[in-house]
Amino acid sequence: ASYIIGLTGGIGSGKTTVANIFADLGITLVDADIVAREVVQPNSNGLNSIVAHFGSQILLTDGNLNRSKLRELIFEDDSERLWLNKLLHPLIRETMLQQCKEAQSDYVIMVVPLLFENGLDSLVDRTLLVDISPELQQQRTVDRDAVTVQQVKNIIGSQASRAEKLSKADDVIDNQGEISALKCKVQALHNLYLNLANNS
Ligand code: ATP
C-alpha cells in the first residue's frame, strides 16, 4: 500500500482497540512498538551495532538484548541515550515504511503512540487521533494495568497535551462511548480512507 494513515492517541485512549477494528476490516497494521522490538532481534543490524558499542554485557545468556540493562545505561548517561536514538530511530522508520510498502491492503494503518511527539506524522499521508478525556485515560489504564493513578498521570504529562494533538490531527475518533459506537465510527473512516487511497 502507498497510502498510510498514522494512528495515535495517549496512554489508554484505545489505539489498539481501534487498530484491531481496522484489521477486522482487512487493513494491514504496522505497529511501532512491534517494529521497535524487531530491529533489535538476535542477528539484526540493530542488535549487532548495540553489542559493538556496549559490549556483550548488553546481552542476556540466550543472546537476546538485555533491555533493563540497556535502560539503566542510557538512564545514567545522556550521550549514550542520544547514541542509541540515533541508531534506532532511523532503523525503526525505515522498517515501518518498508512494511507499509509490502502491505497488500488498500491502505495501511501505522500505529504510533508518540506520532506527533517524535515527528513521525511527516511520514504518513493522514493522521487519526483516538481521543478521550484524561480522567477516562486514567480510569481505563488503571483497570487494565497494575499501575497507580499517579503513574498514569506522570505518563500523560510526558506526552503531548490533548489540545495539541487535537489541533494536529486530520481526523479524530471520540472513544468515550461504547465499543459498538466505536465500530460505527471506524467503519465510516474506513470508507473515507478507501476513497482517499484509491484517488491518491
Ligand atoms: P496504550 O497506549 O496504553 O497501550 P491504547 O491506546 O492501545 O493504550 P487500548 O489498550 O486499546 O488503548 O485501550 C485501553 C483500555 O481501555 C483497554 O483495556 C480497552 O479494552 C479499554 N477500552 C478501549 N475502548 C473502550 C471503550 N470504548 N469502552 C470501554 N473500554 C474501552
Side-chain angles (χ1 to χ4, degrees), residues 9-18 33 111 113 130 140-141 143-145 159 175-180 182:
I11 180 170
S13 59
K15 293 176 293 296
T16 307
T17 307
V18 168
D33 289 339
V111 188
V130 186
R140 287 185 184 164
T141 307
D143 286 348
R144 184 192 58 184
D145 302 336
Q159 300 180 337
N175 185 26
Q176 300 182 118
E178 307 261 325
I179 295 284
S180 54
L182 187 67

Side-chain angles (χ1 to χ4, degrees), residues 39-111:
V39 299
V40 293
Q41 285 301 301
N43 296 318
S44 63
N45 293 336
L47 187 57
N48 291 344
S49 300
I50 290 172
V51 173
H53 185 80
F54 289 107
S56 51
Q57 58 153 350
I58 206 69
L59 293 177
L60 296 166
T61 46
D62 67 0
N64 276 292
L65 178 62
N66 186 339
R67 291 167 182 286
S68 58
K69 179 90 187 172
L70 184 64
R71 254 196 310 275
E72 206 177 282
L73 288 171
I74 64 170
F75 182 74
E76 287 167 358
D77 189 334
D78 272 355
S79 67
E80 296 291 28
R81 187 175 48 78
L82 288 174
W83 178 86
L84 188 70
N85 286 345
K86 221 170 137 186
L87 170 76
L88 293 182
H89 284 182
L91 266 178
I92 293 168
R93 277 171 188 249
E94 283 160 27
T95 306
M96 284 198 299
L97 287 176
Q98 185 59 36
Q99 291 185 3
C100 286
K101 220 167 123 185
E102 286 164 7
Q104 295 298 309
S105 53
D106 287 309
Y107 64 92
V108 51
I109 299 271
M110 200 190 256
V111 188

